Amino acid sequence: MRRRSFLGAAGAAAGLVGSGQVTATTLQGQEDGPLEEVEILTDEYGVSHVYADDVYSLAYGNGYVQARDRLFQMDALRLVGRGESAEWLGPAQLPSDIEVRRDLYSRDRINQQWEDASETTRAALRGFSDGVNRKIVERIAEGELPGEFAALGRPIEPWKPEDSIAWINYALGFFGVNGGAELSNARTLAEMFENFESERDAWAAYDDLNNVVVPEEHYGSVLSSEVDDTDERALEYDELSEDQLDAIRAARDAVPWGIDEGLPVPDGLTEGLREARGMLNGFRFGSNAVIVGEEHTAGEKPLLGAGPQMGLFKPPIPYEVGIHGAGFDIVGMGVVAAPALVIGRTPDIAWTVTTSQDEMIDTIAVELDPEDRHRYRWNGEWHEMATQQVRHYTNPVGGAAQGQTSPGEYTVVRQEVARVEQEGTSMPVIAWNPEENVAYCQRITSRMDELDGAFQWAEVGRANSIDEFESYISEFPFGFNFHVVSDDEIAYFRTGKLPDRRGDGDPRMPKPQAEHDWGGFEFGTSVASVRNPERGYVVNWNNAPAPGWRAGSSEQQWGTVHRVDVMDRLIREAIARTGGELTRQDVEDIVEDCSVEHPYAPRSVPAMLEAVAPGFVDDQLTAMGEELETWAATDYSFRPGSNGTYDNGGMAIWEETRKELQELVFRDELGEQTPTLNYDPTNADGMGGGDPHAADHGATVNEDVTLVAAIDGDTEYRWFGSPGDDADGSTQSEVIRKAMQRAADTLEERYGSPDPADWLLENRQSEFSPLGAANADRVPMTNRSSFPQSYVVGEGLENGASLPPSNSGHQNVVELLGTLAGNEPDRLTNQLDLYENFEYKPLPLAREGVEERATAQETLRTQSEEIADAGRPVTDLAVKLFSVPGGGLRAVRDLTGQLDRSVNGILDDIGGAAATDVDSGEEDETEDETEDGPGVTIPGFDGLSLGER
């Protein structure tokens, strides 16, 4: 697409982005019909209810209120979904853009999704876009555009249906599709091949890290009799083909495909692990859920609690809204930048969702032609890869904000996207070993299903019964667990498009092409769903549905210890305590308690206590055991203490001992592949790791699975000692004592005291990461939902939810500058106290309740809009905002003292210089083409270093 040059926008927007002519693009609204009326009622928390008579108009109202509250965030998310975010948000976004352009879709494919969409889908996307653009026009006229646009010097683009599609592709394509860890597993195993006496021994030990079949001891959300078992299994070493062994060995030195070797990228990107990176680091769709049948409730109505864990962002990724009309009568949450709701309640049913983690991706090793890496062998014949050349530009302003480049420095990174096109699908090539002439590509069950799947999900908002709900999701292709309640029954539906694997080879590892074979697909609802389960309740925290199920490919995923164990214990205790008459408050208490009780420590602390029994070791280790016993008496709680620290030393002792055990037990065998433990939620690594909820206190991967199995003696390999050691447990106790002594040395130095009672860990905190120029709020660490829900169907205002820190993220340029000076608008945090205190605001559905809580009413008539493409200014303010020493918007607070003048004086500095805008449009076709970035000369790639944002 050709480049376009613009001057700044006219009218009231001139104070933000300069002055001059306006180039306008006409956006089509509802076709050939009368203007429809849309009514919007909004409450004190900024939650709007949209009333209209057709899908287009409902989406129009939804787009309008989302743009009112989240316009800058929406813009950032469409850039992420298009794989173009580094151009405006800085070089820390490069791993994300590389991943998106490799694993998802080009502009051409996104356009094709739009062209192929159903009429209902097109009406919703078109209405949503027109509503967004209506609000953009109003914001420009009012001089109320989000201040981040001026700070970044970014023009405001019209919203298009394809923008929502790009974001839907990202959200569902990365976080509704699980599996694909085979290359990562192979790299672990290849390291073990080097560290063990033989490959055979390493292979046997690897079984302890990764099961194909969920073990009998794993807690399943339903009974084994209620789901189908898998017929897949792990192979013995002697059953492996030499070709698969070669693919495993080659994985150790695999490098990313198509990326300059001077560009550092996360290991997970090389291995094809679908993770959020850059500004969305920590975003995922993990969750927990509790549903209770009427036989266990006091009011003889089913109960629902908990909700999705999608990371902690400010503003959040979920967006809270009510939609009423055209067969929909629903309130709950959708995902921002898309027109539909995904979780919530109607007059007849309520539901929440967790992620399934079922295996929907296979990694395939293909042989390459030694003379031409783009030629690969498939079914004995040579084929050419489909390739495209992509250029990633990095914003000099965003780069300065991240402390990685100087203002004005512009960088280009080149990427070759390659795909193996076979079996009726397109498989991204993720990595290769040039010495061994092997490449690794991934086959995904749900490729190009994202848009259709999103609107299958949206249709559940029309359901009047659990029967209808099930009919809408019976062939939903993405991997989730739907937990549904009506006024008289409960249901658990596991969805996903699962392959029927028929090929040879071990399913945990990359398979040579000749050993890969899919015989078709089946949907999760047909093999792992249950209505009114025998237990009378369901709890789920991304665990397996039942023992005997096919485990995902990720290491230590579903073993004999899991965080869902806490939820199950709590609900069983509550049923016993109440005589099977649970109330909504009981369910809320379960959700609260499970979010502050450690899920794994109960399985390792007893071994620590046994190792330091009184009279067996020195006084300090014995005292450490006493502190651990005190912690155990609180059910291993990490509720914050009143003096800024936890109330005993047990948690600090467990953390440090657990870190030492990780090294002592696993380092010799796993080498560089030994996972690093992180217990601080505010210390994400910036390269795709870390979790904002509770870090490795149960919020991320189950690093304790193998350790607990080793403690219990349920492993093939003796991780605590060699086979020649005594079998009476003395070796295990010796290793644990050594770990505890090392932990004691660390803690004594840290706290300046030899007494374990003084080792009081500072209260851990979870942090809301700003998506824009907001402050990073913190709350006491909890392992809980991003959108807590509490529902009793038909109970009106008794139902509730909270969406922290707020449903709004909007700041105009004056408010933005005030935020940087420490005076943030209250609207950005008006649900934070609710969340911190485990409280819920009313969430009415009936019109009467909505009107009772409404503080604002607005009526719109749907129409198409003309919206200006505002030019990108070269402003002093942009450079000042993003060039503070140390980088990052947090550091910009220091700027206010340096400038020593009023906000109005700063506003006077915003210039109106001409600028050039690039619409990156089509992907580049050849590497020889040259294209400049937005008004800046590109010096070429010179080994850009990525760091934390």
Side-chain angles (χ1 to χ4, degrees), residues 415-435:
Q415 174 188 11
E416 179 183 78
V417 173
R419 293 191 173 93
V420 169
E421 297 187 337
Q422 298 288 339
E423 309 296 335
T425 190
S426 183
M427 299 175 246
V429 179
I430 58 171
W432 70 310
N433 185 321
E435 299 299 322

Side-chain angles (χ1 to χ4, degrees), residues 178 286 353 400 571 698 706 714 840 875 885 938:
N178 304 292
V353 177
I571 195 169
T706 303
D714 290 335
Y840 300 79
T875 67
I938 300 171

Side-chain angles (χ1 to χ4, degrees), residues 193-332:
F193 281 172
E194 296 294 322
N195 296 334
F196 279 69
E197 291 186 4
S198 70
E199 289 186 352
R200 185 186 304 277
D201 291 342
W203 180 263
Y206 186 79
D207 282 347
D208 295 335
L209 301 176
N210 200 334
N211 299 305
V212 173
V213 180
V214 176
E216 287 299 320
E217 297 83 0
H218 179 84
Y219 176 85
S221 291
V222 295
L223 301 177
S224 297
S225 59
E226 295 171 318
V227 302
D228 291 352
D229 288 349
T230 183
D231 58 1
E232 296 185 56
R233 66 183 184 91
L235 300 186
E236 299 293 335
Y237 180 78
D238 290 337
E239 296 177 282
L240 293 170
S241 70
E242 194 61 33
D243 287 341
Q244 187 166 30
L245 281 169
D246 286 342
I248 294 168
R249 296 169 185 135
R252 185 178 188 187
D253 297 320
V255 296
W257 179 279
I259 302 298
D260 190 300
E261 64 181 15
L263 179 70
V265 297
D267 286 344
L269 191 150
T270 302
E271 296 158 354
L273 301 179
R274 297 192 165 203
E275 299 172 347
R277 309 184 193 282
M279 64 180 282
L280 291 180
N281 178 33
F283 172 58
R284 54 178 51 86
F285 211 110
S287 320
N288 57 14
V290 180
I291 53 175
V292 186
E294 60 185 2
E295 65 266 39
H296 293 314
T297 65
E300 297 185 349
K301 284 183 178 293
L303 305 171
L304 180 149
Q309 289 180 275
M310 302 173 67
L312 299 178
F313 295 98
K314 184 180 181 182
I317 301 297
Y319 183 78
E320 200 171 4
V321 69
I323 298 293
H324 311 273
F328 293 92
D329 193 12
I330 175 177
V331 63

Side-chain angles (χ1 to χ4, degrees), residues 343-505:
I343 289 175
R345 71 182 184 101
T346 73
D348 303 298
I349 59 173
W351 70 97
T352 191
V353 177
T354 66
T355 193
S356 74
Q357 298 187 346
D358 284 328
E359 198 65 18
M360 298 169 61
I361 304 173
D362 277 0
T363 304
I364 305 167
V366 294
E367 179 187 354
L368 300 179
D369 184 341
E371 303 300 322
D372 182 357
R373 71 171 189 164
H374 297 102
R375 280 168 49 85
Y376 64 93
R377 193 190 297 275
W378 193 276
N379 289 337
E381 297 182 357
W382 292 103
H383 302 267
E384 289 284 338
M385 292 179 183
T387 61
Q388 290 176 313
Q389 306 300 323
V390 177
R391 286 175 172 80
H392 301 280
Y393 304 108
T394 63
N395 188 325
V397 176
Q402 296 154 0
Q404 296 174 18
T405 58
S406 301
E409 181 181 343
Y410 210 91
T411 307
V412 63
V413 173
R414 293 174 174 85
Q415 174 188 11
E416 179 183 78
V417 173
R419 293 191 173 93
V420 169
E421 297 187 337
Q422 298 288 339
E423 309 296 335
T425 190
S426 183
M427 299 175 246
V429 179
I430 58 171
W432 70 310
N433 185 321
E435 299 299 322
E436 302 296 334
N437 296 311
V438 60
Y440 301 89
C441 63
Q442 290 188 326
R443 187 176 181 185
I444 302 123
T445 64
S446 56
R447 188 166 180 84
M448 290 296 287
D449 286 344
E450 287 84 1
L451 187 59
D452 286 346
F455 281 88
Q456 286 181 52
W457 193 344
E459 285 293 305
V460 301
R462 299 181 191 262
N464 295 312
S465 66
I466 290 183
D467 285 336
E468 289 187 8
F469 190 101
E470 183 177 13
S471 71
Y472 286 127
I473 62 166
S474 62
E475 294 188 356
F476 181 61
F478 295 95
F480 294 98
N481 303 298
F482 288 82
H483 301 78
V484 194
V485 301
S486 69
D487 64 351
D488 61 356
E489 65 175 328
I490 67 174
Y492 165 90
F493 300 118
R494 194 173 186 89
T495 63
K497 190 176 181 181
L498 308 178
D500 177 14
R501 294 179 175 87
R502 297 181 177 178
D504 298 325

